[in-house]
Amino acid sequence: MIALTDIEMSFGDLAVLKSVSLRIAEGSVTALIGPSGSGKSTLLRCVNLLEIPQAGELVIGGDRVEFVPGKRPERDAILRVRRQTGMVFQNFQLFPHRTALGNVMESLVTVLKWPEGKARARSLELLDKVGLAHKADAWPAQLSGGQQQRVAIARALAPAPKVLLCDEPTSALDPELAVEVVEVIAQLAREGTTMLMATHDLRLTANIAHEVAFLDGGHILETGPARALFAAPVQERTRQFISTLLTQ
């Protein structure tokens, strides 16, 4: 489904991603773990081209984009990639002037030009999927953090993306509210949704992810099946990081 090859990303003189390569199989859940500043969120944003790498190659679905220093990919190539991805942000990023239903409908009506009735039906179906059909007419300010994140997941799923990208989807929530979001993500995983997520949440990595990639200093130091990597990491740096997570 997704292949990243030798991705390089810098902000000024700061190299954030250094020759990063990663393969993500269709129907799998891959978790990106690592300390703050390791490049996890930037790597996610490179997949949907919210950030444009300076070098390397991205293949997603049937589309291939090569990155050349000083040259921006063609607009159509960027749009084709973005239409295949859905993004769930750490801090929800809901439109405050739209209801829960309006937030989910927005991209369908505005970007994809769906008829309002069709968009409404699809959006209500997704709100029901995340357990919030009864909150369709609520404003974001009337929703808990967990409910807002579930609306954000429904919104990301609305255009039926090939891959769902989740940037620390539970980190802004207290543990009780985070459980709601974990349950929704677990259900999506059981249904075969392809997901790539950056997270510090052990429930997501150990119990839901199929594969884990450990990033540190802009490099992927180790990848492997989630349970195997947590039980017996090969790299000492990975072992140290996982030990720190387990004691939190």
Side-chain angles (χ1 to χ4, degrees), residues 3-25:
L4 295 154
T5 305
D6 295 330
I7 295 295
E8 303 273 349
M9 184 71 208
S10 298
F11 298 107
D13 295 330
L14 178 63
V16 179
L17 298 175
K18 306 168 186 176
S19 193
V20 169
S21 296
L22 185 66
R23 301 291 182 270
I24 299 160

Side-chain angles (χ1 to χ4, degrees), residues 82-98:
R82 288 180 179 167
R83 284 170 182 158
Q84 297 184 72
T85 66
M87 187 79 169
V88 178
F89 297 93
Q90 179 176 346
N91 293 313
F92 325 136
Q93 302 291 338
L94 297 181
F95 298 117
H97 58 293
R98 296 278 191 271

Side-chain angles (χ1 to χ4, degrees), residues 167-190:
D167 189 6
E168 300 283 2
T170 61
S171 65
L173 305 172
D174 65 46
E176 190 172 80
L177 294 178
V179 169
E180 303 173 6
V181 176
V182 171
E183 289 175 350
V184 169
I185 293 174
Q187 180 59 38
L188 294 175
R190 288 191 291 270

Side-chain angles (χ1 to χ4, degrees), residues 1 25-29 129 157 161-164 184-195 210:
M1 175 61 74
E26 185 173 0
S28 71
V29 179
K129 185 182 188 73
L157 292 171
K162 290 184 177 178
V163 60
L164 184 65
V184 169
I185 293 174
Q187 180 59 38
L188 294 175
R190 288 191 291 270
E191 294 171 358
T193 305
T194 306
M195 287 185 273
H210 302 109

Side-chain angles (χ1 to χ4, degrees), residues 148-164:
Q148 289 187 62
Q149 192 62 296
R150 284 188 281 157
V151 171
I153 291 172
R155 178 179 63 181
L157 292 171
K162 290 184 177 178
V163 60
L164 184 65

